Amino acid sequence: MNIQNNVQLKPFNTLSLSSISSHYVKIQNIADVLDAVAYAHLANLNILVLSGGSNMLLPEHVHSLVMHMDIQGIELIAEDAQSQTLRVGAGENWHQFVLWTTRQQLYGLQNLALIPGLVGASPVQNIGAYGVEVGEFIQSVQVYDRERQQLRSILAAECDFAYRHSVFKDQPNRYIITHVTFKLPKHAELKLGYGDLKTAVGDDLTPQNLQQQVINIRQSKLPDPKDYPNVGSFFKNPVVTSQVFARISHEFPNLPHYPQANGQVKLAAGWLIDQAGWKGKQLGKVGMFHKQALVLVNYADANLTDVQATYHAVQQDVYRKFHIQLEPEPVLFAKDGLIRAHTDA
Ligand code: EPU
């Protein structure tokens, strides 16, 4: 195990925040996980699990052991006439894995093409796009459980998957995900219900074409972190009661909204931010993207304090206009490497 000191994490987070980690180690297999956990225990360090860095907010200095997940491999563990079950290393690139499943003629993940990050992070916030959430296709998640101090497998039913949510978000510093097991159908209906996806796909009802249309839509509105450092949607779409929805839609009849099964209503955070005047607006080095107001961009070497100044201002303006509190989507880390609630910031 090669522990390095004072490692710059800027290349490893898509918001390009400068963050120096006191201790850093690359993790390529389960033995590395166990060694790193033992080292952190002896050195009295917290552990910060770094995956693709596409949904995290890092402070300028982190005093902890950063475990950079790089476990590779896609293993076929079961197959029948209907499906294949695949165990995938946490360090596999998400988009490359989606492309691979499509080449294998497996269905389901095409709607999630081009989402940045690695496979191991996909269950954490139950990544979702264009009418599909990854939890629908996960059979189990393999973890090192730091509370029980053991390796174990957590079945999807115990993962508590919901919109941008899972047990891994509920208990943020407990699990280190090593592998994710997916069960993917060999034949299924394509999911075309979201927005104008059906029109874009047209008559060519193949997983390949669906995947390509999703890629086209994402590329047309979401900035590439290489050009504009960002973490995708910066806020969750707020889910409100029907009474709150009635109040706002009375004044703003064009408010985009999505009724939920439980009677609540999901609102479009991008629209609320846009209406509050933040589309294409910057505060110092950080602003909301001109083509999609939901995406916060680091335009010029900003640090976490700059990012917080901008998103707090956005939250305040949306609150003033709509009386809705937007909740950030990315995970916020403290100087000691632990995940902390945005409300404590
Ligand atoms: N809108 C505006 N102005 C804007 C942005 C959006 O008026 O600047 C309106 C749009 O016209 C549309 C509505 O807001 O009526 C919703 O926008 P969009 O369809 O772009 O989807 P979204 O709600 O912004 C969500 C996910 C995305 C996911 C897309 C497609 C969240 C927080 N975001 O975005 O996820 O790709 O749906 O399913 O749920 C991510 O999490 O990083 C992400 C990109």
Side-chain angles (χ1 to χ4, degrees):
M1 195 178 47
N2 177 20
I3 307 262
Q4 299 171 54
N5 295 115
N6 300 321
V7 172
Q8 171 58 274
L9 303 180
K10 191 172 178 170
F12 307 135
N13 75 99
T14 62
L15 196 51
S16 243
L17 294 176
S18 170
S19 179
I20 309 288
S21 72
S22 62
H23 301 72
Y24 168 99
V25 65
K26 220 167 184 157
I27 300 295
Q28 287 176 314
N29 51 48
I30 287 186
D32 286 348
V33 172
L34 299 176
D35 286 350
V37 167
Y39 177 91
H41 182 70
L42 280 176
N44 205 15
L45 292 166
N46 292 319
I47 288 171
L48 186 160
V49 178
L50 174 62
S51 182
S54 56
N55 204 41
M56 62 197 318
L57 302 176
L58 292 167
E60 283 180 89
H61 294 275
V62 186
H63 186 77
S64 69
L65 177 61
V66 171
M67 288 175 58
H68 199 174
M69 302 308 286
D70 190 28
I71 301 176
Q72 302 294 315
I74 303 175
E75 197 187 338
L76 178 64
I77 57 170
E79 178 164 17
D80 58 26
Q82 281 81 39
S83 67
Q84 283 194 354
T85 306
L86 303 160
R87 185 170 181 264
V88 186
E92 287 283 344
N93 175 280
W94 174 261
H95 178 60
Q96 294 306 321
F97 170 59
V98 172
L99 298 181
W100 183 89
T101 64
T102 304
R103 286 199 298 274
Q104 307 298 310
Q105 295 288 333
L106 296 170
Y107 282 69
L109 302 183
Q110 290 72 32
N111 301 53
L112 306 179
L114 216 63
I115 294 183
L118 307 181
V119 166
S122 65
V124 176
Q125 68 154 338
N126 185 20
I127 58 171
Y130 308 103
V132 170
E133 290 183 342
V134 73
E136 300 166 39
F137 296 97
I138 290 178
Q139 189 181 63
S140 62
V141 180
Q142 286 66 56
V143 301
Y144 178 80
D145 180 341
R146 288 151 69 189
E147 198 175 290
R148 295 198 199 167
Q149 300 183 12
Q150 63 182 37
L151 293 161
R152 54 187 276 242
S153 184
I154 303 180
L155 289 172
E158 302 163 52
C159 287
D160 206 12
F161 288 127
Y163 169 63
R164 297 293 188 270
H165 184 80
S166 74
V167 71
F168 308 107
K169 276 220 140 175
D170 263 342
Q171 302 190 45
N173 299 298
R174 176 166 174 182
Y175 300 109
I176 299 166
I177 295 173
T178 62
H179 297 83
V180 183
T181 300
F182 298 89
K183 188 170 183 181
L184 298 175
K186 294 180 179 177
H187 309 279
E189 296 235 327
L190 303 179
K191 287 211 181 139
L192 304 171
Y194 185 93
D196 46 12
L197 196 53
K198 200 175 169 130
T199 318
V201 169
D203 295 334
D204 184 5
L205 292 171
T206 57
Q208 288 77 3
N209 183 38
L210 169 57
Q211 174 175 273
Q212 191 54 49
Q213 299 311 321
V214 168
I215 291 173
N216 294 350
I217 297 172
R218 288 188 77 97
Q219 282 177 335
S220 71
K221 53 179 166 186
L222 294 169
D224 186 331
K226 287 194 209 84
D227 307 323
Y228 299 99
N230 74 84
V231 286
S233 299
F234 194 85
F235 296 101
K236 291 184 202 171
N237 284 333
V239 180
V240 301
T241 61
S242 54
Q243 288 86 345
V244 171
F245 170 67
R247 168 178 65 74
I248 304 175
S249 62
H250 181 69
E251 200 182 335
F252 302 95
N254 298 332
L255 171 73
H257 62 282
Y258 317 96
Q260 304 296 289
N262 62 4
Q264 294 190 310
V265 185
K266 194 193 273 181
L267 308 180
W271 188 90
L272 300 170
I273 297 166
D274 191 348
Q275 294 295 309
W278 272 94
K279 189 170 190 165
K281 183 171 160 177
Q282 247 173 276
L283 176 66
K285 298 171 174 177
V286 181
M288 305 311 288
F289 194 55
H290 61 281
K291 284 198 227 166
Q292 165 57 291
L294 189 49
V295 177
L296 177 143
V297 174
N298 171 5
Y299 288 101
D301 260 329
N303 61 26
L304 181 57
T305 311
D306 303 320
V307 168
Q308 286 178 318
T310 298
Y311 81 72
H312 289 156
V314 172
Q315 283 176 314
Q316 220 168 51
D317 287 352
V318 167
Y319 191 81
R320 275 203 199 107
K321 196 168 170 101
F322 300 104
H323 286 271
I324 287 198
Q325 185 66 32
L326 290 182
E327 193 188 330
E329 192 190 82
V331 177
L332 177 65
F333 290 86
K335 289 191 179 82
D336 61 5
L338 292 181
I339 292 169
R340 76 178 168 183
H342 282 273
T343 42
D344 300 341

